[in-house]
Amino acid sequence: MSLNWDHPQPYILELSPAAGDIDGLDHTNNAVYVQWCEKAGWAHSEALGLSLADYRRLDRAMAIRRSEYDYILPTAAGEALLLGTWLYATDGKLNMERRFQLVRASDGVTVMRGRWELICIEISTGRARRMPAEFCDGYLPAVVAATS
C-alpha cells in the first residue's frame, strides 16, 4: 500500500497509542497528538544535525509562535500510526513553518494534520533574533517546496 503523504519525503515516526493515551471517549486524547508532534519535531531537528544542546550553545531556538491541529478521525490503543513531518516554508531569517500528518498504517488514511509557525528566538531573552548560520545550514536544505 502506498501512503498519500501531503508532501514528499517526510521524516517519519512510528507510533502506537498506549492505554494511558486513551481518554474517556475511548480514543487517543488530542493532547497526545500534540506531544507526538513535539517528539517528531525534535527527532527531525536532531536528524538534521540540530539538538537541544546546539540550541543552548547557540542561545537560539525555533519556538512555536502558533500551532494548529485538525483532528480528522479517532485512533485507538495499539493502532499502528505513522507521523510524518516536514519543514515547509521559511524566510531564511526569522520564520519557519513545520507541518505534520498522522496516518493510520493499516489503510493509509490521514487521521490528523498539524501546522506550526516557528520563530527564531534568543533563548536568554526570549526576543526574536535572526537564525544563526548553523540553523540555515541544517534546516533550509530540508524545506519542501510550498504547494498548498
Side-chain angles (χ1 to χ4, degrees):
M1 168 196 36
S2 73
L3 298 175
N4 281 332
W5 292 113
D6 291 342
H7 311 288
Q9 300 177 320
Y11 178 86
I12 299 171
L13 275 187
E14 295 181 16
L15 301 162
S16 181
D21 296 331
I22 305 304
D23 64 19
L25 301 177
D26 293 326
H27 63 252
T28 308
N29 187 290
N30 293 354
V32 173
Y33 295 136
V34 174
Q35 293 170 344
W36 287 347
C37 288
E38 182 180 10
K39 181 178 178 180
W42 273 117
H44 187 213
S45 183
E46 288 173 3
L48 294 173
L50 290 161
S51 68
L52 182 57
D54 294 314
Y55 276 32
R56 289 183 177 142
R57 176 179 52 79
L58 295 166
D59 192 28
R60 295 291 186 278
M62 294 307 300
I64 301 169
R65 176 179 21 207
R66 182 174 189 277
S67 60
E68 179 180 296
Y69 301 92
D70 295 319
Y71 304 101
I72 301 164
L73 291 169
T75 60
E79 208 166 6
L81 304 170
L82 302 169
L83 179 57
T85 188
W86 303 263
L87 294 176
Y88 183 73
T90 183
D91 62 7
K93 298 172 188 167
L94 290 174
N95 301 294
M96 192 160 47
E97 183 178 328
R98 178 177 286 285
R99 293 201 177 179
F100 301 93
Q101 182 182 2
L102 186 63
V103 173
R104 197 167 43 214
S106 64
D107 59 8
V109 170
T110 297
V111 298
M112 187 273 307
R113 284 188 176 91
R115 178 179 166 272
W116 290 350
E117 291 177 11
L118 302 164
I119 186 165
C120 187
I121 63 164
E122 184 176 54
I123 296 170
S124 59
T125 66
R127 293 186 179 167
R129 293 287 186 255
R130 191 177 185 96
M131 283 187 237
E134 288 180 55
F135 280 27
C136 293
D137 293 346
Y139 290 142
L140 272 53
V143 174
V144 299
T147 57
S148 63

